[in-house]
Structure formats: structure tokens, C-alpha cells
Amino acid sequence: MPLRLVPLGTGGYFPAHGRQTMSFLLVAGENALLLDAGSGVARLAEPAVAALLAGCPRLDILLTHYHLDHVVGLSYLSGVWRGRPVRLFAPAPPLVAAAPEEALGRLLAPPLFPVPLADFPLPVEVVPFTGPELTAGPFTLRLRSQRHPGGSVGVRIGDALAYVTDTVLDPETEAFVRGVGLLLHEVWLTDNEAGDGAAERSGHAAASEVADLARRAGVGRLLPVHHHPRRTAEELTALAAALAARAGLPAEIAREGEVIELGTEPR
Ligand SMILES: [Zn+2]
Ligand SMILES: [Zn+2]
């Protein structure tokens, strides 16, 4: 069964330069799994993405944490995923600090949003998770807690890919992602911006330390994600080139909406 990855949102904080905020779609046969639900969820309505999902009876969504750039797209669901059920995997303590019901109940409730999740015009099942493993259709996910304000969850799906965002550079990530085919790792900061402990204070990672991690972990290729809104397309191209040179492996900037063939079983 071919495994496909479609980046729907690759930016952090807010949409900028044509980039939406964090959301990555995985499709294997009739199984669809969304990693995070930032504003990139809006792209589920784009014809090419909708066509890819036409045969999927259900959408699974896994959240890494509850910051708005990873969850705001939940409020778009009834507009972009009509009728079919959704299963929402929501991280719970001790993986993250917040309780799922409370976090989701604050976002999806009046006065911020007219309809609570339970009253959505599509069935939404909330499945709290605490790790270290979780099964969603054919996907077996390994999960670990990361250091970020309020916590966040790192995800590995077999040897196909790992999704490590909203975290400081964590030495323990190396073992977690070792040998994975594709590493999606946040690069929120340039090396210049990361000086004087700024990376630690922001709860995010910087370029060179991510490249070094990817090299040490022997990953196949690197997809930097969670881009700062101020980065232009040209700056990101240069960033990818610098990461590739330092890591000694392919690194590229994903175009949102493009289909990346991972060509392997999800397990
Ligand atoms: Zn974020
Ligand atoms: Zn965050």
C-alpha cells in the first residue's frame, strides 16, 4: 500500500507568504491521518486534496499540542469534511500539560465558536492518548513528550517518517528518529536568532542543531517545517541548502498541496 504525504500547512504561528499553519496529511489506501490541524486544514477543500480523500470513509486527526497554529483548523472541519466521521486523537497529561476536554472545549465553544465539538454536523470521536504507542488504522505511531511551553508530542510512524515539531532541540530525539526515511523537524530559528539562549526561551529549535541531529540519527532526508512567518520563499530555499550541506543528506522545503510519495508500508 503506497504511503503518501501531503503538507497542508508548514508554517508556525500565523499564515504568511502563502503558507498555512501546521497540518500534514498522510494517506494509505482508504486511510487518512492528519498530523496537526492548523489553518492548513483549509486545504482539505482544494480539489486535488479532496480527490485524494474521496475514498476515505473517515478522517483521523492527531494533535501534537493545543497551540492555535496546530488546532485552529478544527473549527473548519464542518466546512471542509462534510458528513464523514472524524476521530480526533488528543494528547493528555503527562504527555502535555492540558486536559483534552478542557483545551478543546475552550476553542470550540461559544463565544469563540458557535458549535461545540459534540454538536458538529459530523460525528467527532475524541480519543485522549498518553502514549507511548497508538494505532490509527494501518498506522502504528510511537509518541514521546517534548520540551515546549505546555508540552508537545513527537511522532514516529514505522520507519517511514517522524514528525518532531514545537520542541527545543532535544538530544533524546536522536534515538527516537534514528534511521527514519523522512524527518519532519521544526526549524523555527536561524542560527543567528538562536543566540544567547533565545532558542531555549522560545521553546523551539534552530537550523544547525537540527541538521546535526538529522546527520547523527542517520535519517534519509530532512523536511524542515514550522517556518517563521517572516521567512520568504527565497530565505527558505537558502535554509534548505544550508541544512543539506551541513547534514550531508537531502533537505528540501515542502510545497503545500504537493503529494510526496513515501512509497512504503506505513508500519
Ligand atoms: Zn507551533
Ligand atoms: Zn507550540
Side-chain angles (χ1 to χ4, degrees):
M1 188 162 33
L3 178 60
R4 297 191 169 106
L5 170 70
V6 189
L8 302 179
T10 59
Y13 194 8
F14 59 84
H17 299 286
R19 298 186 296 269
Q20 298 286 353
T21 68
M22 297 295 278
S23 191
F24 295 84
L25 173 65
L26 278 164
V27 182
E30 295 182 342
N31 304 280
L33 171 66
L34 212 52
L35 298 172
D36 276 331
S39 70
V41 168
R43 295 195 191 279
L44 292 179
E46 294 178 358
V49 180
L52 201 61
L53 293 170
C56 299
R58 181 186 68 212
L59 180 65
D60 286 338
I61 303 174
L62 182 126
L63 304 175
T64 60
H65 63 309
Y66 298 102
H67 286 164
L68 279 175
D69 52 337
H70 300 253
V71 302
V72 73
L74 294 174
S75 67
Y76 314 160
L77 276 178
S78 44
V80 299
W81 184 256
R82 285 167 189 271
R84 288 172 281 176
V86 167
R87 193 164 53 165
L88 178 58
F89 294 98
L95 272 185
V96 297
E101 335 57 268
E102 200 203 338
L104 296 170
R106 280 200 209 172
L107 174 68
L108 301 167
L112 294 188
F113 195 69
V115 187
L117 259 185
D119 296 339
F120 269 30
L122 65 161
V124 182
E125 180 193 1
V126 178
V127 183
F129 69 88
T130 56
E133 210 169 272
L134 179 157
T135 302
F139 305 104
T140 301
L141 291 77
R142 285 175 53 206
L143 310 154
R144 67 180 292 269
S145 185
Q146 303 177 138
R147 208 143 49 81
H148 186 64
S152 69
V153 179
V155 182
R156 176 175 178 144
I157 303 179
D159 289 331
L161 91 164
Y163 176 56
V164 178
T165 191
D166 292 64
T167 176
V168 297
L169 200 284
D170 180 346
E172 290 179 29
T173 299
E174 185 183 325
F176 184 67
V177 305
R178 184 171 305 288
V180 85
L182 176 65
L183 172 62
L184 287 79
H185 198 297
E186 75 140 271
V187 179
W188 178 244
L189 301 163
T190 63
D191 293 343
N192 280 341
E193 292 163 351
D196 285 340
E200 193 67 27
R201 282 195 302 279
S202 71
H204 288 289
S208 287
E209 58 184 8
V210 173
D212 292 346
L213 171 90
R215 178 177 41 76
R216 288 196 309 269
V219 308
R221 59 183 169 138
L222 174 64
L223 217 63
V225 297
H226 203 271
H227 304 301
H228 196 291
R230 81 163 68 95
R231 312 259 183 266
T232 64
E234 293 72 28
E235 287 169 338
L236 289 183
T237 301
L239 170 73
L243 289 169
R246 184 163 177 130
L249 52 88
E252 58 220 274
I253 302 301
R255 282 195 314 279
E256 296 181 8
E258 78 171 332
V259 177
I260 300 172
E261 300 282 351
L262 298 180
T264 165
E265 294 286 326
R267 284 175 194 277

